[in-house]
Amino acid sequence: MAYTMVHLCWKLSICFFFYQVVSGRVRREGYYVAAVYEHESILSPNPTALVDRRSALDLMGKNLDIYEQQAVAAARQGAQIIVFPEDGIHGFNFTRSSIYPYLDFVLHSHSGKWNPCREPYLFNDTEVIQRLSCMALKNKIFLVANLGTKQPCEHTDPHCPPDGRYQFNTNVAFDDDGTLVATYRKHNLYFEYAFDTPPEPDYKHFDTPFAGKFGMFTCFDILFFEPAVNLIRQYNLKQIVYPTAWMNQLPLLSAVEFQQAFATAFNVNILAANIHHPTLGMTGSGIYTPVKSFIYHNMESYGGKLIVAEIPVITTDHETNLESNERFRVNLHDSCRTFTSTLLDDQVCFKEQEETPGRVSEKGNEQLPPPFYAEMMYDNFTFVPVWGEKGQLQVCANTLCCYLNYQRAVLTDELYALGVFDGLHTVHGTYYVQACALVKCGGLSFSTCGQEVTDATALIDFQLWGNMSTPYIFPLLLTSGITLDFADHMGWKNNHYFMSKNRTSSGLLTAALYGRWYEKD
């Protein structure tokens, strides 16, 4: 009898293991399976028109139908969590009045547990919330989505809008039983006149059994200290969910480029879901670890895209790039040995007590042409051209000096330039930037440097560094076709931040140190 029971249990275990394999649910210890969906949302043909609630629900229901299909598909592939994009359910370009029928009621201060799928009767105007909850419950998957929400307020509240209600751009997170576990109200609105900024920043996170705590913020938030950076630092978070509706801006702020840089800078995993509207420049989603990415960027075709990937759980024992200056100071010596022995002369790397190299050509005594100026990212960058097979360059603006050592395997008919900007960016948002950027120009004239470029052939070995005044530096490395590459080494040395690469995987578009000096915003 005992043998029969053991034999039966063994057979059942094998069967259960086989079920896990065929259902895609076998996972390595210390890993989890994540999904993000880049959604081509069905939009209102006239978002400024006033409609009733039923019409609004009909439109949102079409997008939710697609969400439901993708949640099922993700769960079948073993995903434990899925993230949907900002504005994916209701769309955008509303007025404060016209968006009102699209808003669900969410009580952000609600401290008790609420399962909208199981308890749909608790609050009125929660149809969208209920449907999202049921998706999570039916598919046994954690689910994060973005929607518009409303919350009445009293006129005794000094922040209460004149119409007596708050309207928020809101992320909601559900556990795999459909329980609402977190809500986040977007803090840094991007020309979103239909929504209110919450009186205080939300620092929201939720717990999972497979990867610990996930923090969440939205789109434009990623460029600011509050709440994104403060959230990560305050709660020591290592997993981030990030709904976004990001319009790509090359050469420094394409969606996948900056999402990866953020993951690398803070040593976090990011699950980023973008909206898909190529005519508006909106694409670029991915599942990012600090050293690897699974991305989707497609400006050519239409339709949504589901990304599913298994990634390692990052534990809180790991340090961030922003906290690891001492480690990088040690590693830099190895980096210098690697770089100089295979590529360039000994004077390429920083030596102790050594002056940084000036703007001289590879001949050593011939002065290069003077700097030129061109607009990039709506900012006035100072550039120097990158000519010849190899060289050493320097360019400065305000307090920031940027340095480049480079070598090309083959000279191509492409113009590159090294640019610097140290100042307050004031177009489409106000924030202080320090940037050192090696970029491919749009043509062969200096005036084309800073233009948006998507293809390149030049393979360049480089070491780029600058005397940055902020510790918040995002390493950008973008290659031909809007693909990503990773630096061989990066870090601090003698109060300079540094990044090097011994051959990009394809033609180089952008290699940049993008610094955010939050205190000067």
Side-chain angles (χ1 to χ4, degrees):
M1 180 67 176
Y3 169 80
T4 304
M5 289 298 293
V6 169
H7 186 65
L8 178 61
C9 288
W10 180 83
K11 290 182 67 175
L12 287 173
S13 298
I14 291 296
C15 289
F16 179 65
F17 177 77
F18 177 75
Y19 169 75
Q20 287 186 312
V21 170
V22 299
S23 65
R25 292 186 179 275
V26 167
R27 308 177 189 97
R28 290 179 286 173
E29 185 177 352
Y31 286 73
Y32 67 99
V33 181
V36 300
Y37 181 63
E38 179 159 311
H39 176 50
E40 183 183 358
S41 53
I42 300 168
L43 301 173
S44 167
N46 185 5
T48 61
L50 300 179
V51 301
D52 59 21
R53 175 69 172 171
R54 177 46 53 197
S55 299
L57 287 172
D58 287 345
L59 176 72
M60 292 189 290
K62 296 174 183 177
N63 288 306
L64 289 167
D65 288 344
I66 299 171
Y67 278 27
E68 192 146 13
Q69 295 166 7
Q70 299 305 319
V72 170
R76 285 176 177 167
Q77 295 181 57
Q80 295 155 285
I81 184 169
I82 185 169
V83 181
F84 292 102
E86 180 186 26
D87 297 336
I89 296 172
H90 56 270
F92 35 74
N93 294 331
F94 293 92
T95 67
R96 182 172 182 85
S97 299
S98 68
I99 202 172
Y100 183 71
Y102 295 83
L103 305 180
D104 263 35
F105 172 78
V106 172
L107 192 61
H108 293 277
S109 60
H110 186 63
S111 57
K113 286 191 174 183
W114 176 38
N115 188 312
C117 188
R118 299 184 190 276
E119 305 167 292
Y121 47 81
L122 284 189
F123 306 104
N124 293 325
D125 293 336
T126 58
E127 293 92 337
V128 175
I129 291 282
Q130 291 172 32
R131 199 148 169 212
L132 293 168
S133 169
C134 291
M135 282 183 213
L137 173 61
K138 290 175 183 176
N139 294 286
K140 297 300 177 186
I141 192 170
F142 277 72
L143 185 148
V144 177
N146 173 272
L147 72 160
T149 65
K150 59 187 177 183
Q151 187 174 342
C153 54
E154 299 294 334
H155 289 291
T156 52
D157 176 356
H159 301 289
C160 185
D163 54 16
R165 64 177 183 268
Y166 288 114
Q167 300 184 172
F168 295 121
N169 177 330
T170 303
N171 295 340
V172 289
F174 302 89
D175 68 13
D176 54 7
D177 191 48
T179 299
L180 182 64
V181 290
T183 63
Y184 167 74
R185 301 168 297 178
K186 185 178 180 182
H187 190 74
N188 298 284
L189 298 174
Y190 189 79
F191 302 103
E192 297 167 70
Y193 305 114
F195 292 121
D196 299 303
T197 300
E200 298 293 336
D202 285 347
Y203 304 109
K204 293 302 181 75
H205 56 83
F206 57 92
D207 202 25
T208 68
F210 50 83
K213 286 184 170 59
F214 281 78
M216 60 178 171
F217 46 85
T218 310
C219 200
F220 204 36
D221 288 328
I222 203 170
L223 287 179
F224 297 91
F225 186 82
E226 294 288 4
V229 178
N230 208 4
L231 172 73
I232 291 170
R233 292 178 60 179
Q234 187 173 335
Y235 295 97
N236 200 18
L237 297 176
K238 295 300 179 184
Q239 331 291 329
I240 301 295
V241 290
Y242 177 65
T244 185
W246 191 276
M247 290 180 285
N248 289 285
Q249 189 180 357
L250 292 167
L252 303 182
L253 288 179
S254 69
V256 296
E257 176 184 28
F258 199 79
Q259 290 161 9
Q260 180 61 70
F262 194 95
T264 300
F266 286 99
N267 196 48
V268 295
N269 293 331
I270 299 180
L271 316 182
N274 198 4
I275 210 83
H276 189 80
H277 290 287
T279 56
L280 301 174
M282 304 171 89
T283 183
S285 303
I287 297 171
Y288 305 87
T289 79
V291 296
K292 189 174 183 180
S293 60
F294 305 85
I295 66 169
Y296 179 71
H297 175 101
N298 188 339
M299 289 288 288
E300 306 300 325
S301 61
Y302 294 88
K305 176 67 175 181
L306 180 67
I307 306 170
V308 180
E310 183 186 58
I311 59 174
V313 176
I314 300 178
T315 67
T316 55
D317 295 329
H318 290 82
E319 59 191 353
T320 72
N321 285 339
L322 301 172
E323 299 167 337
S324 56
N325 295 357
E326 288 303 319
R327 179 170 60 83
F328 279 126
R329 287 191 180 97
V330 173
N331 283 352
L332 185 60
H333 294 293
D334 292 333
S335 170
C336 285
R337 283 196 292 272
T338 302
F339 202 82
T340 56
S341 64
T342 57
L343 296 175
L344 304 173
D345 298 330
D346 288 342
Q347 62 262 38
V348 166
C349 280
F350 285 122
K351 300 291 188 292
E352 297 298 335
Q353 311 301 325
E354 182 181 291
E355 295 284 331
T356 54
R359 292 182 57 247
V360 295
S361 73
E362 62 264 29
K363 295 180 181 179
N365 55 10
E366 180 183 334
Q367 291 298 310
L368 290 176
F372 64 92
Y373 304 94
E375 185 178 281
M376 183 163 76
M377 311 294 296
Y378 300 105
D379 295 318
N380 188 26
F381 272 71
T382 305
F383 286 99
V384 289
V386 177
W387 285 339
E389 290 184 10
K390 65 179 181 178
Q392 303 174 28
L393 298 173
Q394 171 186 330
V395 62
C396 301
N398 293 334
T399 64
L400 177 62
C401 285
C402 304
Y403 307 91
L404 175 71
N405 295 299
Y406 66 95
Q407 179 169 309
R408 309 191 222 199
V410 178
L411 275 178
T412 61
D413 188 23
E414 296 167 297
L415 175 62
Y416 284 80
L418 172 66
V420 59
F421 179 76
D422 180 11
L424 190 66
H425 174 89
T426 58
V427 178
H428 302 155
T430 302
Y431 46 92
Y432 202 98
V433 173
Q434 283 194 321
C436 295
L438 170 61
V439 296
K440 181 188 172 183
C441 304
L444 298 180
S445 65
F446 289 171
S447 62
T448 66
C449 296
Q451 293 180 356
E452 297 200 358
V453 180
T454 58
D455 296 294
T457 59
L459 303 178
I460 303 178
D461 306 315
F462 67 87
Q463 185 181 47
L464 173 67
W465 68 99
N467 62 328
M468 319 295 283
S469 300
T470 172
Y472 298 101
I473 298 161
F474 301 93
L476 309 177
L477 192 47
L478 192 67
T479 48
S480 188
I482 316 299
T483 53
L484 299 177
D485 208 339
F486 294 84
D488 295 331
H489 301 277
M490 66 185 77
W492 290 93
K493 176 68 175 179
N494 296 347
N495 297 316
H496 291 67
Y497 194 88
F498 137 98
M499 173 171 72
S500 70
K501 181 68 178 178
N502 278 6
R503 187 66 60 92
T504 52
S505 55
S506 58
L508 179 66
L509 292 178
T510 301
L513 306 176
Y514 189 90
R516 278 286 289 112
W517 199 344
Y518 299 116
E519 294 87 349
K520 299 191 74 168
D521 288 356

